[in-house]
Structures are given as C-alpha cells and as structure tokens.
Amino acid sequence: MAGIVVVFDFDKTIIDLDSDNWVVDELGATDLFNKLLPTMPWNSVMDRIMKELYTQGKTIDNIKEVLKRALIHPRVVPAIKTAHSLGCDIRIVSDANLFFIETILVHLGIRDCFSEINTNPGYVNEEGRLRILPFHDFHSSSHGCNLCPPTMCKGMIIERIQASLTKEGKKTLIYLGDGSGDFCPSLKLKGGDYVMPRKNFPVWDLICQNRELVRAEIHEWSDGEELEHVLIKNIESISLQESHSNSTRLLLVDCKMETIPMAAHEALPPALPVVYCPLYCNDPIEK
C-alpha cells in the first residue's frame, strides 16, 4: 500500500473529545476560558490559560497526566496500527497543538505510526511553561480561506501534501475528520481519493449539503469500530484496484512480446525446389 496516504484529524477523530476543552476542564480553568474566549482567538486563549495554570503551580506533568486520560475508542489504535502495518503513510492535520497530540500518541504507543503532524506549535519554554501558538500567523497576514479559522487552513496543507505526493509517486489520499474545519480539505481531494466524515458531526452536515462539490468517494463512520472497519475496507479496495491495474499492464506487455514468437533476426527455412518428371509420373518430385 505504498501509494496510500491516510490523513487524520485528531480531536473527536483519533481521540473521542476535544483535547483543549478536556485539559481546561480537568485543570479547573473553564470559567476563565469562557471569560476570555469572546475577547481573543482560540489559540491565544489557550496560551493565556497555560500561563494562568503555570502561575497556579500546575506543572507540565499535571498536564500530561490529564492528556493520558483522554477518551479514545478501543478500536482506533488497532485501526491505525493495521493501516501502518499495511504500508500506508499516515499523517495528522489538526487544529489542536503539537504538545497535546504527541503526549497522547506516545502514551498510546502509536507516535511512530505517523510520518508527519501538521498542527499548531505547542512547546515547553525555558521557564517550564507550555506555550501554544497559531499554525498560521494571522496577525501578519491572512491565509485567505473563508471556510477555515484564521489560525489554520487545512485545505492549504492538503494541497502541499498533494504536491509532495506527486514527486514521491504516491496516488491515493484517505482523509478522516469530524469538524467544520475538515470541510475545506475534503474539497481539495480528487476523484479516486476517499473522504471519511464522522456521521452527524459538522463536516458530515456540510458534505451532505454540498455533495456536488466533493469529488472524492464519501464513506462515513460513527464511532471507532466503524472507523476501523471502513478505513481498512477502503485500503483493501484501493489495493485491489492497484493490483488489477498492475496485472492489466503486465498482460498487455506479455501480449505484445508474444505477437511474434520467434526472434526478429531468425530466418525462415528455405523452400524446397520442385520439378516434374513427365516420363515416369505425374507427381512432383523434391530435388
């Protein structure tokens, strides 16, 4: 399956909750979060919350322990491991942040399954405080997409991935997501690609309302069990198509090679001359 690239959203796709809200609620910062959210962008609120938690004495280990308790359906990890074992290139495109995502993936034992994580920067500074910054610096310029939040256009990331796949000779994208921010990348997929929206979530509603705009095959899922079943089925389907295509090409080559069974330079045997003997017989005699 070297030609297949599987791209996951993270929150409510790999894990079964929003990682930002989970940390804020579990560490007792919900009221401050709700107070700040109307005044500044989401990522700026999260960075401010991390500063407040630091001043309250909350450590990085406290944050990690909360993240390790994040809810995840028991079939999601096996699904990711199976896709990886089949040779798929697995990546993440998420509007969460790198610290949260990597902490959870390492805890689940699947960090090495992912070749790339595209998300908002999240790192521990020299003071020991977690900083969370936007993927796109919207203060200096806009990414220009009115479908996506100012911090990240997932569609632009998918376009970059598609450009790199052309150079690598890879062919098929499978995209899994749940939120409204996953609609834009769904529109960037091509015919022959697959989009897997989570049913009855915002991206599913948007796709249902705009099916004519989506060129990829649509395969919905509801929970981790369906995610596993649909994902592996799609991977197998793509593999069968590739095998059939390769077999067809080999058959055509074989047919071309077998059109002339002997080498082109090999001469045909000379014809035998024939004479007639009218005195003794009426049949031709070989000479």
Side-chain angles (χ1 to χ4, degrees):
M1 315 312 175
I4 302 175
V5 179
V6 182
V7 179
F8 283 88
D9 175 40
F10 187 73
D11 290 339
K12 298 182 182 178
T13 298
I14 291 180
I15 61 173
D16 222 5
L17 45 73
D18 182 284
S19 56
D20 287 347
N21 287 333
W22 173 251
V23 170
V24 168
D25 293 344
E26 289 296 299
L27 293 179
T30 306
D31 290 342
L32 178 60
F33 181 89
N34 292 335
K35 180 180 178 181
L36 293 175
L37 191 57
T39 68
M40 61 182 73
W42 185 285
N43 291 95
S44 301
V45 174
M46 286 302 299
D47 189 54
R48 175 72 178 276
I49 292 292
M50 293 303 108
K51 180 180 180 180
E52 181 63 25
L53 291 173
Y54 176 77
T55 62
Q56 293 176 9
K58 297 293 193 297
T59 66
I60 294 301
D61 285 340
N62 294 145
I63 297 171
K64 285 184 175 181
E65 287 306 312
V66 169
L67 290 167
K68 290 175 183 178
R69 292 189 280 107
L71 301 176
I72 181 170
H73 191 283
R75 297 313 307 169
V76 170
V77 169
I80 291 170
K81 288 183 176 180
T82 300
H84 183 257
S85 69
L86 291 172
C88 296
D89 178 356
I90 310 178
R91 312 187 187 196
I92 287 176
V93 178
S94 168
D95 204 9
N97 69 80
L98 187 61
F99 183 85
F100 286 8
I101 292 174
E102 287 200 319
T103 298
I104 293 172
L105 294 182
V106 169
H107 173 66
L108 295 173
I110 54 174
R111 174 61 185 90
D112 292 342
C113 292
F114 296 88
S115 66
E116 181 181 77
I117 299 176
N118 300 275
T119 189
N120 299 297
Y123 65 93
V124 181
N125 68 8
E126 63 280 358
E127 298 176 344
R129 176 167 77 87
L130 180 59
R131 296 298 312 274
I132 297 175
L133 304 175
F135 179 86
H136 178 79
D137 184 5
F138 58 90
H139 295 294
S140 61
S141 65
S142 168
H143 53 56
C145 176
N146 58 10
L147 294 176
C148 295
T151 53
M152 173 183 287
C153 173
K154 292 185 178 182
M156 293 178 68
I157 298 173
I158 289 298
E159 288 178 327
R160 178 187 59 76
I161 291 174
Q162 288 171 326
S164 69
L165 298 186
T166 301
K167 296 178 182 178
E168 297 172 16
K170 295 176 180 177
K171 302 174 183 177
T172 308
L173 268 171
I174 302 175
Y175 186 92
L176 299 90
D178 69 281
S180 58
D182 297 308
F183 181 59
C184 179
S186 299
L187 298 180
K188 303 297 182 181
L189 301 176
K190 302 175 181 178
D193 290 335
Y194 292 66
V195 59
M196 290 179 54
R198 189 167 188 179
K199 193 172 182 180
N200 298 323
F201 278 69
V203 69
W204 166 254
D205 294 335
L206 288 167
I207 287 176
C208 287
Q209 295 165 18
N210 301 276
R211 279 183 177 267
E212 72 282 358
L213 301 179
V214 180
R215 290 173 290 174
E217 287 192 26
I218 303 168
H219 298 267
E220 70 273 14
W221 57 280
S222 297
D223 57 22
E225 186 173 353
E226 280 195 339
L227 183 154
E228 178 185 35
H229 173 73
V230 176
L231 176 61
I232 302 308
K233 184 178 179 181
N234 286 342
I235 292 171
E236 291 174 346
S237 175
I238 295 166
S239 178
L240 286 173
Q241 292 174 22
E242 289 181 351
S243 297
H244 178 72
S245 177
N246 291 336
S247 298
T248 301
R249 284 196 295 269
L250 288 173
L251 180 62
L252 289 173
V253 171
D254 289 343
C255 288
K256 288 179 180 179
M257 294 182 67
E258 292 175 4
T259 301
I260 302 177
M262 68 175 59
H265 64 273
E266 184 178 339
L268 293 171
L272 294 174
V274 177
V275 298
Y276 286 90
C277 179
L279 295 177
Y280 302 101
C281 63
N282 293 322
D283 299 324
I285 299 177
E286 291 184 354
K287 179 178 180 180

